[in-house]
Amino acid sequence: MFPYPPPPYAAFMAPFAGPPRLPPPYAAFPYFGAVRHPAPYVQAVMQLQSVTAANFDAELDLVAALLPRHPYIVVDTEYPGTVHRPPAGARDADLSPDDRYALVRANVDELPIVQLGLTLCDTHGNLPVVVDYETGHHVERAWEFNFSDFDVSRHRHAPASVEFLRSQGIDFDRARECGVSSAAFKDKLAGILSALGGNELTWVAFGGAYDLAYLVKMLGGGQPLPETRAEFMARVRALLGGRVFDAKYMAENCGRGDLRGVGLRSVAANLGVPRPIVEPPCLAGPKSLTACRIHTVMRLHVLSQDDVAAYEGLIDGLQ
């Protein structure tokens, strides 16, 4: 964990220097079950908890208990690709923000969510520390929610995207059998957010148009997304509460050339965010953790407080 208050950047980066510390045996990432990997920059073990129908009530109760002290909620989603695309010969970058939102809306309205990664932290970037169920040891915790909504034999999807998710370890048949329904997730999460009342939350994503759209779709009970970008952002604030940031938009527009036009892992590497000794699958849980680390460095060590505030509500691809 980061010390209190946050250190200057040189001190923040100091633990990354020198020879790497070897981790304990590194468990392969199964689709279900807790996954542990070392965080080389802290004297702690990181636990990525896989969430299914069997444990989602208990895990969301834990999230609710942790939110008052860890009000930053960083999310990432996995979904079965896109089936609505730009016109032939056009790229996303060629479209207007309204046209890009129209594509997001069409795809999210039609395609179910597959996974949601969720990482909490406090204002200094500390992740919550909990007691591991199996060992009794204190661990840092993040979550990967696996949903049962998507049926590969029934729903439209991008075959290459589905095959990629399979290659990363997702078992779609088992997800249909054991995953969380988005309706049950919505009921539980909406109750948690309502119970928090006036507690200020900060929601973060990296390239977050689809991530926020799937949250809005689930919390809206599966209803179609709003017609316009302005209505969509109003719905985001009404359903989520608090502030919304996109760490990718912050990185793209902070003035550093090495953070422009590159993806999640490259931004993390260029900011000095360490990677685990063994690279985890490219799925929602690890990606939400990386996005959390990026956002922490951006707001504590790259941007001023005034600059950070200016990025509120600015979502990559929708500006």
Side-chain angles (χ1 to χ4, degrees):
M1 295 182 293
F2 301 141
Y4 181 91
Y9 190 69
F12 174 80
M13 297 298 293
F16 309 157
R21 292 189 289 271
L22 295 178
Y26 186 106
F29 270 67
Y31 180 58
F32 292 95
V35 180
R36 298 172 188 83
H37 65 272
Y41 41 90
V42 293
Q43 300 296 322
V45 172
M46 177 67 219
Q47 184 185 72
L48 178 62
Q49 179 66 46
S50 186
V51 182
T52 68
N55 65 342
F56 99 98
D57 265 316
E59 293 301 330
L60 276 178
D61 284 341
L62 178 57
V63 169
L66 294 168
L67 275 174
R69 289 178 177 267
H70 300 82
Y72 287 80
I73 309 174
V74 187
V75 296
D76 187 86
T77 56
E78 300 296 343
Y79 45 92
T82 58
V83 295
H84 300 278
R85 299 184 178 89
R91 302 171 303 165
D92 277 351
D94 300 325
L95 303 180
S96 69
D98 288 335
D99 288 339
R100 286 195 292 269
Y101 172 69
L103 285 179
V104 171
R105 178 167 59 88
N107 282 302
V108 172
D109 280 347
E110 182 165 355
L111 304 178
I113 191 171
V114 173
Q115 278 190 341
L116 173 73
L118 190 150
T119 300
L120 304 180
C121 73
D122 65 17
T123 190
H124 305 298
N126 299 309
L127 272 61
V129 175
V130 302
V131 177
D132 176 49
Y133 306 132
E134 297 176 4
T135 67
H137 296 157
H138 287 83
V139 296
E140 292 182 318
R141 172 72 63 85
W143 294 264
E144 189 170 78
F145 292 82
N146 305 286
F147 292 95
S148 63
D149 302 53
F150 176 62
D151 186 340
V152 71
S153 66
R154 182 168 63 89
H155 289 109
R156 288 182 70 195
H157 59 273
S161 297
V162 166
E163 286 309 309
F164 175 77
L165 293 176
R166 279 199 179 105
S167 76
Q168 297 300 296
I170 290 184
D171 182 333
F172 289 102
D173 291 333
R174 195 173 181 196
R176 286 286 295 164
E177 178 185 352
C178 303
V180 183
S181 74
S182 60
F185 180 85
K186 171 257 181 184
D187 290 342
K188 185 79 173 182
L189 181 59
I192 290 170
L193 297 179
S194 176
L196 285 171
N199 282 22
E200 183 76 3
L201 299 176
T202 298
W203 295 81
V204 180
F206 185 93
Y210 278 89
D211 305 317
L212 294 174
Y214 273 109
L215 279 174
V216 166
K217 178 182 178 180
M218 286 193 290
L219 287 171
Q223 294 299 308
L225 294 177
E227 290 285 333
T228 69
R229 284 187 300 138
E231 292 170 333
F232 171 69
M233 289 308 300
R235 183 80 62 85
V236 167
R237 290 187 171 92
L239 292 174
L240 300 184
R243 306 177 300 165
V244 179
F245 291 91
D246 189 318
K248 182 175 183 178
Y249 190 85
M250 295 166 71
E252 286 269 352
N253 294 278
C254 72
R256 281 185 50 169
D258 62 334
L259 303 181
R260 291 185 60 84
V262 295
L264 178 78
R265 289 180 175 176
S266 294
V267 170
N270 292 341
L271 286 173
V273 173
R275 294 161 72 172
I277 302 300
V278 178
E279 195 67 54
C282 189
L283 293 175
K287 285 158 63 179
S288 74
L289 176 60
T290 302
C292 179
R293 299 301 192 197
I294 289 171
H295 183 251
T296 296
V297 175
M298 290 297 301
R299 65 185 173 83
L300 294 183
H301 301 291
V302 176
L303 299 169
S304 70
Q305 288 188 355
D306 288 343
D307 286 340
V308 170
Y311 285 101
E312 198 281 322
L314 301 179
I315 308 304
D316 185 70
L318 300 185
Q319 303 308 313

